[in-house]
Amino acid sequence: MNRNNRRWERQSVHVPCTVTYADGLPNPARASIVNLSPGGLMLAADQSFIANERVSITLEVGNVSLLFEFAETMRGTVRWSQAAGGGPGLYHVGVALEAELPRRLLLTEQ
């Protein structure tokens, strides 16, 4: 039986961002938020991340952006990271957020 045990429904998005280890290691990764929920998100990143490490995710500012009802930077813990099937140098990364996002997200295009 294939069941979804997720606590929240995921919302598909495409939001460019930069991801860094919270302890300040100087190797930021370019990424995009692929989906999100109040408790976490999945990234498509150009590098893998280590499970159980804390990360900071900073949304990029551009002509089209996703404006949330929270700060431009989110913090969380990497739960998993694996190579994506879309080609070399692409990884999917699951992040549990430290602060739960509002259930209502404000999506707008600038």
Side-chain angles (χ1 to χ4, degrees):
M1 175 165 131
N2 189 2
R3 252 178 34 162
N4 183 351
N5 291 327
R6 292 179 170 162
R7 187 172 170 187
W8 296 289
E9 184 177 329
R10 300 315 195 244
Q11 180 176 349
S12 293
V13 295
H14 176 76
V15 183
C17 60
T18 302
V19 184
T20 55
Y21 282 107
D23 62 8
L25 288 176
N27 194 16
R30 295 176 44 101
S32 289
I33 300 172
V34 175
N35 68 43
L36 59 88
S37 73
L41 53 83
M42 183 174 82
L43 300 167
D46 64 4
Q47 71 182 44
S48 181
F49 283 84
I50 300 168
N52 299 316
E53 289 289 327
R54 292 182 63 233
V55 292
S56 293
I57 301 161
T58 304
L59 304 182
E60 291 184 6
V61 177
N63 292 333
V64 178
S65 63
L66 181 66
L67 302 177
F68 299 99
E69 295 175 330
F70 52 92
E72 294 176 352
T73 300
M74 296 172 278
R75 289 178 178 69
T77 302
V78 174
R79 294 298 178 213
W80 56 269
S81 183
Q82 65 186 30
L90 180 64
Y91 298 88
H92 285 157
V93 182
V95 178
L97 297 173
E98 290 179 0
E100 188 175 306
L101 301 179
R103 297 229 191 296
R104 185 173 67 87
L105 302 176
L106 176 63
L107 302 173
T108 62
E109 289 186 14
Q110 289 189 31

